[in-house]
């Protein structure tokens, strides 16, 4: 950890007084929510915990969305909040908020430090808890007077956490059963999620897939955990997954779920999910097993360790040509497609893919553009796709990209956003400008809350209630006001040169791309629907 | 189906909120919850009676186990155990019916712990069935107030639900 993100204020003034002369870099964001998302993006891109700081009261409450976001996606961030002095707590003091109470349901752990002697060990514990086991956000609330006191620095090398088990060994018997099930299966399917990236198990996944000839589908959190150009890769499953991936779920006789939590956006109608399959569920969090789907063979363990144990039990190679051919047929019959006319968002992302050689770190906001990014920017490596998958937080993309750009200097970082999402943290243009953080913003601007509009079109009689963003600014002018260069794109022909300019310009850049306004995301499984009942394109009447 | 969970927790601020909050947040029903310090002052024990089917109980247990303050959780429903509740019942007691009430109190081996002109406070301990029975027997006289502790429980025999925990002893 070398960089923190935050905003000073009354209760953290003593902390900032020291931070100014410390060897830690501090990035001043323009809203605390952005500090939390930046810490999140930093963590996703680097694998190390991200840190954000806010003052008491409104500063702390502004972090809450970012903390909840990290909690839903199991991202390790440390939020340090100022608090009013110990003696003032509970008196409705100026800028007081019970932030440990408020964040109780959205933190892995949180602490209110009421004694300076507890401060160092609390920080140690917070980092340990945030980063180990199933990672998650941890909040430390520090009253102002604690930061003005002095105490001997005591940093115990050993933590006493009798109720916390970060390491869980895979159960040998369960592993043996899983291996036997894989050997017996004729249509097995690897279903991988964020846990694969967290545990660094992508190589093991690849080995298992290749040696046992098992096709691979992913949740959105699993993007990058398996090379998407690999012949065994089928795509994302669920609401906006590929048709082939959803058909595979419906046909498979064995799902090997690794670091996934069977979210409702993945499963669709739960009774109809994978009706023919046995399920092996590998997860480090025992509470995920059986939460949504019943696992026939649960393995509670770190994904990497579990897969290594599994691989050791599976010597030799398998070939499953019939299953592969069936999948290939589905893929050929149902490719991702869009009309080659007008200015299509999919085209913009495809060209971005080509120009960056698929090597950019992509962060997204939430909505249609997020799904197009998943579909049209295939990745080859983990920790290169940052997206608010669980909470679905509009406003995540740009600050998360800032965090990633700082964590991984020298890499191309692109924030793919929409006009709705971007405006939820548009003030971060100032942070990008201030520190010249080289984030390239590709704004897929349709003047709508596009996904809302799409749902209204399909499920709400085309009554477009408050989803049109009338009053959008000229985003290029806004960027210019912040001294961030930008360019507006209105035709297909301009896309490539504009992307080139954005990528070649040093520092941040904003591309405002006026895409076809009513383009929809396909395929689409209606909410609560069955995965093989997809709307696959065209207008639905 | 009612299950009795015996939960050892670290005696830290907020732990009760964490446990109670977990139940409401995830939509589980607590039947009763009793908490108190153990022989080790840094550790408290909660006895939680929870209502739900097998899947719910399993989720409750797993979610509770995830809380860092929870050291150990055991479902002791099917183990031989002593389960007790304490109840205080304030009942109407005109002088004319006091004799009858005192008979009921004797039958249940309860005690009268306070007396006023027209009412009594009765203290009783026992398992939930007995407490329900005494409450029902007193109802005809007019119960003014009932205070119940919720169940506490201990395994029979020499076995204990000890502190042997398997958590992280060491950091990096």
């Amino acid at each position: 950890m070398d960089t923190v993100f935050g905003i000073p204020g009354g209760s953290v003034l003593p902390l900032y007084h020291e931070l100014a002369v410390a060897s830690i870099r501090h990035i001043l964001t323009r809203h605390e929510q952005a500090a939390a998302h930046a810490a999140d993006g930093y963590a996703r891109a680097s694998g190390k915990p991200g840190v954000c700081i806010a003052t008491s009261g409104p500063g702390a409450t502004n972090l809450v969305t970012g903390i909840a976001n990290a909690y839903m996606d199991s991202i390790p961030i440390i939020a340090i909040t100022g608090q009013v002095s110990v003696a003032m707590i509970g008196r409705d003091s100026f800028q007081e908020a019970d932030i440990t109470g408020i964040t109780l349901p959205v933190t892995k752990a949180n602490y209110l430090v009421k004694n300076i002697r507890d401060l160092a060990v609390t920080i140690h514990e917070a980092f340990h808890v945030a980063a180990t086991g199933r990672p998650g956000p941890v909040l430390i609330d520090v009253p102002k007077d604690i930061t003005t006191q002095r105490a001997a620095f005591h940093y115990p090398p050993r933590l006493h956490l009798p109720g916390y088990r970060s390491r869980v060994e895979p159960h040998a018997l369960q592993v043996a059963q899983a291996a036997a099930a894989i050997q017996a299966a004729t249509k097995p399917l690897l279903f991988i999620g964020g846990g694969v990236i967290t545990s660094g198990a992508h190589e093991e996944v690849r080995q298992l897939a290749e040696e046992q000839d098992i096709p691979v589908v992913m949740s959105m959190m699993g993007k990058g955990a398996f090379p998407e150009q690999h012949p065994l890769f089928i795509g994302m499953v669920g609401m906006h997954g590929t048709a082939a991936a959803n058909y595979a779920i419906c046909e498979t006789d064995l799902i090997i779920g690794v670091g996934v939590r069977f979210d409702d956006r993945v499963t669709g109608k739960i009774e109809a999910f994978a009706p023919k399959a046995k399920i092996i569920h590998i997860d480090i969090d025992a509470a995920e097993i059986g939460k949504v789907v019943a696992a026939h063979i649960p393995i509670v363990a770190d994904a990497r360790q579990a897969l290594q144990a599994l691989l050791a039990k599976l010597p030799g190679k398998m070939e499953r040509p019939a299953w592969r051919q069936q999948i290939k047929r589905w893929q050929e019959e149902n490719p991702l497609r869009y009309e080659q006319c007008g200015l299509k968002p999919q085209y913009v992302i495809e060209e971005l893919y080509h120009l960056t050689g698929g090597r950019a770190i992509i962060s997204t906001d939430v909505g249609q553009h997020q799904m197009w990014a998943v579909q049209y920017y295939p990745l080859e490596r983990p920790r290169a796709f940052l997206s608010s998958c669980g909470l679905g937080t509009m406003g995540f993309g740009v600050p998360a990209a800032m965090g990633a750009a700082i964590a991984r200097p020298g890499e191309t970082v692109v924030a793919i956003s929409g006009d709705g999402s971007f405006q939820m943290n548009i003030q971060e243009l100032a942070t990008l400008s201030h520190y010249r953080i080289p984030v390239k913003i590709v704004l897929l601007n349709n003047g709508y809350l596009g996904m809302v509009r799409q749902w209204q079109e399909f499920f709400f009689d085309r009554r477009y209630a408050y989803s049109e963003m009338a009053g959008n600014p000229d985003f290029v002018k806004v960027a210019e006001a912040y001294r961030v260069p930008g360019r507006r794109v209105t035709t297909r022909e301009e896309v490539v040169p504009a992307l080139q300019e954005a990528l070649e310009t040093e520092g941040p850049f904003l591309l405002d791309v006026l895409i076809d306004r009513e383009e929809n995301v396909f395929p689409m499984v209606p909410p609560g629907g069955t995965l093989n009942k997809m709307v696959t394109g065209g207008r639905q009447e | 189906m009612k299950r009795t969970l015996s939960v050892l927790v670290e005696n830290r601020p907020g732990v009760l909120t964490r446990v109670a909050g977990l139940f409401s947040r995830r939509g589980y029903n607590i039947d009763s919850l009793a908490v108190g310090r153990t022989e080790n002052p840094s550790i408290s024990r909660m006895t939680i009676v929870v209502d739900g089917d097998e899947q719910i109980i399993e989720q409750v247990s797993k979610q509770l186990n995830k809380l860092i303050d929870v050291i150990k959780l055991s479902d002791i429903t099917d183990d031989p155990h002593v389960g007790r509740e304490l109840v205080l019942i304030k009942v109407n007691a005109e002088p004319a019916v006091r004799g009858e009430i005192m008979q009921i109190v004797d039958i249940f081996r309860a005690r009268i712990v306070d007396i006023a002109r027209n009412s009594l406070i009765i203290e009783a301990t026992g398992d939930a069935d007995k407490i329900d029975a005494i409450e029902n027997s007193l109802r005809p006289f007019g119960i003014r107030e009932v205070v119940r502790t919720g169940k506490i429980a201990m395994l029979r025999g020499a076995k204990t639900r000890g502190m042997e925990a398997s958590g992280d002893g060491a950091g990096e």
Side-chain angles (χ1 to χ4, degrees), chain A residues 81-293:
Chain A
T81 49
Q83 182 53 277
V84 299
S85 293
V86 174
M88 302 295 283
I89 291 175
R91 295 193 194 185
D92 304 325
S93 309
F94 176 67
Q95 289 195 332
E96 180 183 357
D98 172 16
I99 197 64
T100 48
I102 289 168
T103 57
L104 201 69
V106 293
T107 47
K108 186 172 172 186
N110 68 23
Y111 306 88
L112 169 60
V113 181
K114 288 171 106 169
N115 190 318
I116 178 98
R117 285 194 309 268
D118 300 331
L119 186 59
V121 67
T122 301
I123 290 171
H124 189 178
E125 194 174 310
F127 274 86
H128 178 69
V129 168
T132 56
R134 178 181 184 171
V138 174
L139 179 136
I140 311 170
D141 199 22
V142 190
K144 185 174 188 179
D145 52 340
I146 299 293
T147 56
T148 56
Q149 294 167 17
R150 287 180 172 274
F153 183 73
H154 175 58
Y155 196 75
R158 286 172 66 83
L159 290 166
H160 177 70
L161 287 166
Y164 179 67
R165 282 174 74 194
S166 60
R167 280 174 292 274
V168 197
E169 301 290 324
H171 194 286
L173 194 69
Q174 302 291 90
V175 171
Q177 280 188 14
I182 290 171
Q183 281 169 326
T186 55
K187 300 173 176 181
L189 193 61
L190 263 161
F191 172 31
I192 59 171
V196 172
I197 294 171
T198 303
S199 77
H202 47 282
E203 280 305 329
E204 283 76 9
V205 165
R206 185 185 173 126
Q207 199 185 334
L208 180 62
E210 287 176 352
E211 286 180 4
Q212 295 297 311
D213 201 11
I214 307 175
V216 180
V217 298
M218 66 176 185
S219 69
M220 190 157 59
M221 282 298 295
K223 191 171 170 70
F226 191 79
E228 293 185 56
Q229 308 284 24
H230 195 287
L232 283 167
F233 185 71
I234 325 178
M236 182 168 76
V237 285
M239 184 171 278
H240 294 296
T242 60
N246 285 341
Y247 290 143
I249 288 278
C250 294
E251 279 303 312
T252 174
D253 61 355
L254 179 72
I255 287 183
I256 306 146
V258 190
V260 287
R261 58 183 178 81
F262 297 94
D263 180 79
D264 53 280
R265 284 292 189 267
V266 158
T267 61
K269 187 178 177 189
I270 194 74
E271 300 78 29
F273 177 76
K276 302 173 184 172
K278 261 191 171 184
I279 294 178
I280 299 170
H281 192 178
I282 300 170
D283 205 290
I284 199 165
D285 180 358
E288 283 305 332
I289 310 265
K291 187 184 79 178
V292 177
V293 298

Side-chain angles (χ1 to χ4, degrees), chain B residues 91-121:
Chain B
V91 63
N92 287 333
E94 297 296 329
V97 297
R98 270 190 201 162
E100 205 182 328
I101 291 175
M102 284 164 76
Q103 270 188 345
I104 292 170
V105 167
D106 278 346
I107 290 166
F108 285 100
R109 281 185 282 169
R111 297 197 300 153
I112 293 168
V113 291
D114 187 59
I115 185 160
R117 203 135 66 98
N118 297 317
S119 69
L120 297 169
I121 298 179

Side-chain angles (χ1 to χ4, degrees), chain A residues 104-105 108-110 125 128-129 132 134 157-167 285-287 289-291, chain B residues 10 12 14 17-18 25-26 55 58-59 62-63 65-71 165-172:
Chain A
L104 201 69
K108 186 172 172 186
N110 68 23
E125 194 174 310
H128 178 69
V129 168
T132 56
R134 178 181 184 171
R158 286 172 66 83
L159 290 166
H160 177 70
L161 287 166
Y164 179 67
R165 282 174 74 194
S166 60
R167 280 174 292 274
D285 180 358
I289 310 265
K291 187 184 79 178
Chain B
E10 293 212 58
R12 290 210 248 192
T17 320
R18 263 170 225 283
R25 193 158 67 242
R26 294 205 177 253
Q55 204 227 343
E58 191 184 320
Q59 262 297 306
K62 285 173 170 176
Q63 294 290 350
N65 257 323
K66 266 172 81 169
L67 297 177
I68 287 155
D69 290 334
V70 170
I71 300 167
S166 46
D168 287 13
E172 273 72 55

Side-chain angles (χ1 to χ4, degrees), chain B residues 4-18:
Chain B
T4 304
L5 308 178
S6 184
V7 187
L8 280 176
V9 299
E10 293 212 58
N11 192 0
R12 290 210 248 192
V15 58
L16 183 59
T17 320
R18 263 170 225 283

Side-chain angles (χ1 to χ4, degrees), chain B residues 3-9 16 19-20 23 29-38 44-51 60 64 70 72-77 81-85 148-155 161:
Chain B
R3 306 295 297 186
T4 304
L5 308 178
S6 184
V7 187
L8 280 176
V9 299
L16 183 59
V19 171
F23 277 80
N29 288 321
I30 300 185
D31 211 68
S32 72
L33 188 158
V35 57
R37 186 163 73 60
T38 62
S44 295
R45 184 183 302 276
M46 292 184 180
T47 308
I48 305 172
V49 180
V50 53
D51 206 358
V60 167
L64 282 172
V70 170
K72 194 177 171 70
L73 177 148
S74 337
D75 181 345
I76 61 168
T77 318
H81 67 270
V82 181
R84 288 288 181 272
E85 234 186 300
R148 288 173 78 149
T149 56
K151 180 180 178 178
I152 58 169
M154 188 177 266
L155 289 183
R161 284 295 176 203

